[in-house]
Each structure stands twice: as structure tokens, then as C-alpha cells.
């Protein structure tokens, strides 16, 4: 992040007193306030945007920071936010407030626009009490620099940066904690105000120290450091200049750029062009049966014989024999996902397998069957005649027997 200041010669002379050590001269002999003549920048050059960062401000609000001084710190934060290229894909910002305790005012994932961020800063209240700087750095590692809280994955190569603002001496051990943070890839800037212990700032800050440690005499001039940080974080914005060859999205990256794609597209191996994502590839969708791509998104459908449930993802088997779902004239018989047609008793299914006709007895019989029928009929007639004759004789016998019984009674 070393930046040449050769083009800002007039400002260089004013910045030299800020450097905590220079050419072997002990810092205690060079502690001077930041003068009001520090070079000022107007509106940000449209061709110069800060490279994407995951940036965390850690501000001291211990008892030594008077209320009006704390308001100056909040103004400094707001002016810093104004200089940043804030956004979900550019620079994300978090703010932590500490004294004897630590409070995460908002993590990296909360705000992606300057107005909301500055409004949140304006509501920050001091915590008072002690100065536990080591605790604050540890909390930043544990509670803020996590993907869950908005830090981007390591393979994104987004720098993790901390700016600590304090006016006192840490009341806990910061050396090991700060070393662990730097080892974890966190770049630390330390800003001392007034009575700040410069040795502690040097212990906390990243190398080279002359680019990571700053001092101002009072909170009244701290906001003038915004121009210095802008120089540090600023990189030529190739995307704004229009000199890139990205097909869809250009993302500035430390003086260079990276190509990205709109949602629903993926970057091709050439790192420039984009192709629509196969959102229906296995593992990419939540459809129970059929996934249908739909302009970078997808909709779910079902196999024949199933219907889509209200959740628009899962499917249920259709009742194929429900009224209006089949074309059987009389009876629909469900067979898993399909059906067959049948008929009522006395009807038979027509060749079309759908309609029914009344069943009839055929009148066509063979000669052999006809002969058999005639023989049976003749036998039936013979038996009937014999039974009738026998019945007549039985009647006669019965009558004679009755007459005989009557005569016997008279005698």
C-alpha cells in the first residue's frame, strides 16, 4: 500500500511530522501536531475509486474522550465514509466502539450505502470507563471478520483493514493480539490523538510503521486525516475510465480490475465473458421432479400424472379418475398413474376402450346344438305326458277310496 507522494510535494512537508519514526530518529523527538495545511482534496475524481476493502473502524470512547471530542470522531468516520466506494461488491464498512467493554455498532453485512451508514454512525454513544484495546482487536477477529458477519471469503482476495482511533494507553495486552490479527491477514492502522501512547500504536500497527501510524494533537483536526487515507486507499479506476474488456461487470482491484457477472450468469474461463448459469443443474435447484430454466432463474414442474403443490417445488400424484380427468363413458378404474375404462353390468366395453354398449344373446347356433335342443324338448314333452297320465290315475284311485270309506261309515 506504499504510495508515492512525489506529485504532492507541498503536502509531503506537512505530512512528515506525522510519521512516527523517520530515518532512525526516535519518535519521542518528532511528536508534532497535524497542521491545518495538510493538502485537501475536493470531490473525488471519477477515475479514482478506492479498491474493495472489508474495513473496520475501532473507536475509543473511554472516559478520557469528552462528549464533544467523541462527536469529532463521528464526523471523522462520516467523512471517511464519504471518501470510500461503499457497496456490497466494493468496500464494506463496520464500526466497533470500545472502552472497558466492546460493542459492534454495525458489522460488514449491515449497510451498503453511505446514507444509512452515516445515519448509524450519528447514533453511536460513548461507553466510558477503561481502554481495552486488545479486547477490541480480538473482538474484531472473532465477531466481525467472519463470513457470517459479512467478511468476504478468502478466495475473493479482499483486503481486511482495521483503523483504530484512540487517545490513551491500552489497559490490557495488545502486542500478542495485534500480532495474531496481522498474521491472520488483517492490516492495522493506528491513529493516536492527544495523550495517546505512541509506543502502543507502533506495537499494534502493521509494517511499514511510517505508513500505518498517525498522530494528531486534538480531535478537532482528526478529520483532516481523511485525505491521507484517501490517498492510501485510492487506486486508478480502470472500470470508470472504460478501458476494461469485461462483458458485464467491472470491479476495480488495486489499480487493476476484475470481471464479474450479473446474477444468474457465471464468469467463463477467459475471465472476461459470461454465460448463463445452468440453474437446473443437479444441486442448484429445489424442484421435486422437473426444473425448467427461466431467464437466469427457474420454475418447477411435475411428471405426467402429478400436480405441483402450493410450495411450487414438490409434486403429488393426480387422481386420474376424478371427474373431468378421464374419458370413460361409464366406469374409470385407476391403475397407479393411469386408468382403464369398464362398464356397468349388462354392458360391454366397445373396441375404442372408452364407450359401452348393452349386452345381447346371440341367436346363431350350430346344427348339432339344434338337434340336442329338439331331443331334450321331446323328452320333456314325453315325461310331462306320462306325469299327467299318472296324475289322472292317482285321482281316480283317490276317488274310489273315498267312496269306499263313505260306505263303511253308513254300515
Amino acid at each position: 500500500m506504499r504510495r508515492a507522494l512525489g506529485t504532492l510535494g507541498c503536502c509531503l512537508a506537512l505530512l512528515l511530522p506525522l510519521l512516527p519514526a523517520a530515518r532512525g530518529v526516535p519518535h519521542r523527538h518528532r511528536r508534532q501536531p497535524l497542521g491545518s495545511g495538510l493538502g485537501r482534496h475536493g470531490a473525488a475524481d471519477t477515475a479514482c475509486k478506492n479498491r474493495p476493502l472489508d474495513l473496520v473502524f475501532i473507536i475509543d470512547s473511554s472516559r478520557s474522550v469528552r462528549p464533544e471530542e467523541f462527536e469529532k470522531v463521528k464526523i471523522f468516520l462520516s467523512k471517511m465514509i464519504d471518501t470510500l466506494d461503499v457497496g456490497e461488491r466494493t468496500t464494506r464498512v463496520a464500526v466497533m466502539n470500545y472502552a472497558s467493554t466492546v460493542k459492534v455498532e454495525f458489522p460488514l453485512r449491515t449497510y451498503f450505502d453511505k446514507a444509512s451508514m452515516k445515519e448509524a454512525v450519528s447514533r453511536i454513544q460513548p461507553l466510558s470507563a477503561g481502554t481495552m484495546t486488545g479486547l477490541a482487536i480480538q473482538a474484531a477477529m472473532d465477531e466481525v471478520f467472519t463470513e457470517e458477519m459479512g467478511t468476504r471469503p478468502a478466495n475473493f482476495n479482499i483486503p481486511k483493514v482495521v483503523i483504530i482511533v484512540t487517545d490513551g494507553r491500552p489497559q490490557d495486552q495488545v502486542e500478542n493480539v495485534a500480532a495474531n490479527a496481522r498474521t491472520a491477514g488483517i492490516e492495522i492502522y493506528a491513529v493516536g490523538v492527544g495523550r495517546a501512547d505512541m509506543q502502543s500504536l507502533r506495537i499494534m500497527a502493521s509494517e511499514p510503521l511510517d505508513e500505518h501510524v498517525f498522530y494528531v494533537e486534538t480531535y478537532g483536526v482528526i478529520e483532516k486525516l481523511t485525505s491521507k487515507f484517501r490517498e492510501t486507499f485510492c487506486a486508478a479506476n480502470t472500470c470508470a475510465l472504460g478501458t476494461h474488456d469485461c462483458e458485464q461487470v467491472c470491479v476495480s482491484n488495486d489499480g487493476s480490475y476484475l470481471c464479474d457477472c450479473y446474477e444468474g450468469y457465471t464468469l467463463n474461463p477467459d475471465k472476461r465473458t459470461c454465460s448463463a448459469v445452468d440453474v437446473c443443474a443437479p444441486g442448484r435447484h429445489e424442484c421435486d421432479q422437473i426444473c425448467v430454466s427461466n431467464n437466469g432463474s427457474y420454475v418447477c414442474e411435475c411428471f405426467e400424472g402429478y400436480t405441483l403443490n402450493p410450495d411450487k417445488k414438490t409434486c403429488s400424484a393426480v387422481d386420474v379418475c376424478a371427474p373431468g380427468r378421464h374419458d370413460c363413458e361409464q366406469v374409470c378404474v385407476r391403475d397407479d398413474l393411469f386408468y382403464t375404462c369398464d362398464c356397468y353390468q349388462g354392458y360391454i366395453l366397445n373396441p375404442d376402450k372408452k364407450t359401452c354398449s348393452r349386452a345381447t344373446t346371440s341367436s346363431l347356433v350350430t346344427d348339432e346344438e339344434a338337434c340336442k335342443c329338439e331331443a331334450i324338448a321331446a323328452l320333456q314333452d314325453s315325461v310331462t305326458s306320462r306325469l299327467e297320465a299318472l296324475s289322472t290315475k292317482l285321482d281316480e284311485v283317490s276317488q274310489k277310496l273315498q267312496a269306499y270309506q263313505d260306505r263303511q261309515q253308513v254300515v
Side-chain angles (χ1 to χ4, degrees):
M1 298 180 63
R2 192 180 297 272
R3 302 280 300 182
L5 300 178
T7 57
L8 300 174
C10 62
C11 296
L12 180 59
L14 293 168
L15 286 172
L16 285 176
L18 297 178
L19 303 181
R23 301 294 186 268
V25 180
H27 183 272
R28 61 180 178 274
H29 297 303
R30 301 188 59 82
R31 179 162 163 167
Q32 300 178 24
L34 177 67
S36 60
L38 181 65
R40 290 177 291 179
H41 294 268
D45 186 346
T46 57
C48 189
K49 299 284 188 180
N50 73 276
R51 61 199 173 110
L53 305 171
D54 284 339
L55 175 60
V56 179
F57 290 96
I58 301 178
I59 57 174
D60 178 0
S61 65
S62 58
R63 188 174 290 110
S64 61
V65 183
R66 292 189 290 271
E68 62 272 17
E69 293 175 332
F70 192 71
E71 290 302 312
K72 294 288 186 182
V73 175
K74 289 158 63 172
I75 292 173
F76 166 66
L77 293 183
S78 293
K79 288 186 176 293
M80 281 293 299
I81 290 168
D82 280 334
T83 68
L84 299 172
D85 187 17
V86 170
E88 185 175 6
R89 291 194 173 189
T90 52
T91 291
R92 300 183 182 185
V93 176
V95 175
M96 299 175 64
N97 185 8
Y98 81 98
S100 57
T101 59
V102 179
K103 180 180 180 183
V104 179
E105 297 291 347
F106 55 85
L108 295 165
R109 70 180 184 183
T110 304
Y111 302 113
F112 299 123
D113 67 279
K114 296 181 180 182
S116 300
M117 205 173 285
K118 290 163 67 177
E119 173 64 24
V121 167
S122 71
R123 296 193 299 267
I124 298 175
Q125 297 298 318
L127 300 175
S128 299
T131 309
M132 306 296 284
T133 311
L135 180 64
I137 297 173
Q138 187 65 53
M141 288 190 288
D142 296 340
E143 301 176 26
V144 179
F145 283 117
T146 66
E147 290 187 30
E148 182 181 4
M149 289 294 105
T151 299
R152 282 162 284 193
N155 60 354
F156 279 41
N157 295 317
I158 303 296
K160 296 190 286 286
V161 179
V162 162
I163 298 177
I164 301 172
V165 180
T166 180
D167 74 340
R169 179 190 299 272
Q171 295 176 344
D172 58 356
Q173 296 298 318
V174 298
E175 185 170 4
N176 291 338
V177 177
N180 290 339
R182 295 192 299 267
T183 300
I186 299 173
E187 187 173 13
I188 301 177
Y189 290 84
V191 176
V193 183
R195 300 172 298 278
D197 179 60
M198 301 308 296
Q199 183 60 29
S200 297
L201 298 181
R202 292 163 61 86
I203 289 174
M204 289 187 285
S206 298
E207 294 284 353
L209 295 178
D210 60 355
E211 293 183 6
H212 290 83
V213 179
F214 302 101
Y215 171 78
V216 290
E217 188 69 29
T218 67
Y219 282 102
V221 293
I222 189 173
E223 64 185 79
K224 297 184 181 297
L225 283 177
T226 55
S227 58
K228 173 58 181 172
F229 279 112
R230 182 180 181 276
E231 284 180 28
T232 301
F233 297 147
C234 184
N237 190 345
T238 306
C239 297
L241 292 172
T243 56
H244 64 87
D245 55 358
C246 298
E247 182 181 25
Q248 293 186 355
V249 179
C250 177
V251 180
S252 295
N253 183 36
D254 196 18
S256 184
Y257 68 93
L258 299 172
C259 297
D260 202 350
C261 301
Y262 302 134
E263 185 175 359
Y265 291 81
T266 185
L267 196 63
N268 292 325
D270 63 10
K271 303 299 183 182
R272 296 184 292 105
T273 59
C274 302
S275 297
V277 173
D278 181 7
V279 292
C280 285
R284 287 186 176 272
H285 64 87
E286 297 178 323
C287 297
D288 186 27
Q289 293 186 354
I290 300 173
C291 175
V292 180
S293 296
N294 182 26
N295 193 27
S297 183
Y298 68 91
V299 293
C300 298
E301 293 185 358
C302 301
F303 300 136
E304 184 177 359
Y306 290 82
T307 185
L308 195 63
N309 292 326
D311 63 8
K312 303 299 183 183
K313 300 175 184 178
T314 59
C315 301
S316 297
V318 173
D319 181 4
V320 292
C321 283
R325 289 188 176 274
H326 64 88
D327 51 4
C328 296
E329 182 181 24
Q330 294 187 356
V331 180
C332 175
V333 180
R334 182 172 173 174
D335 180 19
D336 194 15
L337 301 178
F338 305 97
Y339 69 92
T340 57
C341 297
D342 203 350
C343 301
Y344 301 136
Q345 186 174 0
Y347 290 81
I348 58 173
L349 193 64
N350 292 327
D352 63 8
K353 303 299 183 181
K354 300 176 183 178
T355 58
C356 300
S357 298
R358 184 179 294 278
T360 57
T361 304
S362 175
S363 61
L364 299 177
V365 296
T366 63
D367 292 342
E368 182 178 356
E369 289 173 337
C371 291
K372 289 180 179 180
C373 290
E374 290 175 0
I376 291 171
L379 178 60
Q380 288 176 337
D381 291 342
S382 175
V383 171
T384 299
S385 296
R386 291 176 181 272
L387 289 174
E388 289 176 350
L390 181 59
S391 177
T392 300
K393 289 183 178 181
L394 287 174
D395 289 341
E396 291 176 354
V397 171
S398 178
Q399 291 174 359
K400 290 179 180 181
L401 180 60
Q402 185 63 43
Y404 174 76
Q405 289 176 342
D406 291 342
R407 286 194 300 272
Q408 291 294 321
Q409 289 178 353
V410 173
V411 176

